[in-house]
Amino acid sequence: AQSVTQPDIHITVSEGASLELRCNYSYGATPYLFWYVQSPGQGLQLLLKYFSGDTLVQGIKGFEAEFKRSQSSFNLRKPSVHWSDAAEYFCAVGADNAGNMLTFGGGTRLMVKP
Amino acid sequence: DGGITQSPKYLFRKEGQNVTLSCEQNLNHDAMYWYRQDPGQGLRLIYYSQIVNDFQKGDIAEGYSVSREKKESFPLTVTSAQKNPTAFYLCASRPGQKNQPQHFGDGTRLSIL
């Protein structure tokens, strides 16, 4: 069975500082990997996705993530955080099989200090 | 504007009542999904449907039911058999082609009176 671990439940960074959110997955085949962001009381917005090819993927809002097969990781990064980035971030793993079911991590809540 | 519409945004249920959450999409997506989100937790899959008139159970289907009579609509009924229904419910959809992510609605928050 596939699983996703986001080790950090809460992270606080200063505005303008760099950010890295960790994601580790367990999956038997080549995974399809996603990062979503959720503002309070809202749905999830897709930040970026990895299906194949270049292991460094660029997303919206200046985010990027790197797929490292040897470490079973897909960490999310941003070089300079803005106050508007405060939200909850979810990593998910899935397969492009008939159901495309996703397994989500527990989320990381990001707080940004002025 | 194309998108996924969930209604209502807030819903209250009395003990022993069934309630139905609406999910409509005008993206012409083939597959639709229902997730449950509890505070401090990730999303868990309740049901999904890849095509009209067909659906499969997810990880936590007990106490829930769905229908898929139209491509655009995938309503979720929370039955009285669901003992802990208070949660945030999210609907998602995706195209049928490969390499396509799921897109989410804005959710419905269900509370027990």
Side-chain angles (χ1 to χ4, degrees):
Chain A
Q2 57 204 51
S3 66
V4 178
T5 302
Q6 293 180 245
D8 305 304
I9 297 174
H10 297 279
I11 282 186
T12 300
V13 299
S14 297
E15 191 167 16
S18 64
L19 171 70
E20 183 169 30
L21 302 183
R22 295 183 291 165
C23 172
N24 293 98
Y25 67 89
S26 172
Y27 190 68
T30 300
Y32 291 165
L33 295 158
F34 308 84
W35 275 100
Y36 286 89
V37 62
Q38 184 181 36
S39 297
Q42 299 295 314
L44 275 66
Q45 181 183 21
L46 180 70
L47 283 177
L48 47 78
K49 60 187 183 290
Y50 171 79
F51 288 108
S52 64
D54 193 346
T55 56
L56 183 64
V57 294
Q58 301 297 321
I60 62 171
K61 305 185 180 186
F63 285 93
E64 66 177 26
E66 187 171 12
F67 170 54
K68 293 186 177 180
R69 184 188 301 274
S70 62
Q71 299 178 19
S72 297
S73 70
F74 188 57
N75 294 349
L76 182 71
R77 300 193 294 248
K78 186 169 185 178
S80 177
V81 170
H82 188 262
W83 64 266
S84 61
D85 293 324
E88 188 145 26
Y89 292 79
F90 291 95
C91 180
V93 64
D96 198 29
N97 54 23
N100 187 231
M101 289 180 287
L102 294 181
T103 298
F104 285 83
T108 297
R109 182 166 297 281
L110 173 66
M111 290 172 280
V112 180
K113 293 190 299 186
Chain B
D1 267 338
I4 302 169
T5 302
Q6 291 189 242
S7 61
K9 191 165 181 64
Y10 300 96
L11 188 57
F12 299 91
R13 190 189 95 170
K14 293 182 180 179
E15 297 275 357
Q17 273 185 340
N18 294 353
V19 289
T20 297
L21 284 60
S22 170
C23 179
E24 303 277 333
Q25 55 97 0
N26 59 6
L27 301 167
N28 199 33
H29 286 176
D30 294 300
M32 298 186 73
Y33 307 79
W34 274 106
Y35 293 91
R36 171 181 172 136
Q37 185 179 25
D38 293 285
Q41 297 189 31
L43 281 67
R44 292 182 291 168
L45 182 66
I46 305 172
Y47 269 97
Y48 69 101
S49 168
Q50 299 171 67
I51 195 170
V52 174
N53 292 322
D54 186 51
F55 47 83
Q56 284 78 41
K57 293 181 179 180
D59 299 321
I60 55 165
E62 184 174 351
Y64 300 98
S65 66
V66 294
S67 63
R68 186 88 187 273
E69 297 176 0
K70 298 186 300 181
K71 187 175 184 177
E72 307 79 31
S73 178
F74 192 41
L76 173 74
T77 297
V78 184
T79 75
S80 57
Q82 172 49 241
K83 297 307 178 189
N84 185 23
T86 297
F88 191 51
Y89 290 87
L90 287 158
C91 178
S93 69
R94 73 179 283 268
Q97 299 91 334
K98 290 175 76 72
N99 293 357
Q100 295 294 325
Q102 293 181 23
H103 298 268
F104 286 80
D106 284 337
T108 292
R109 185 166 299 281
L110 175 63
S111 301
I112 298 301
L113 291 176

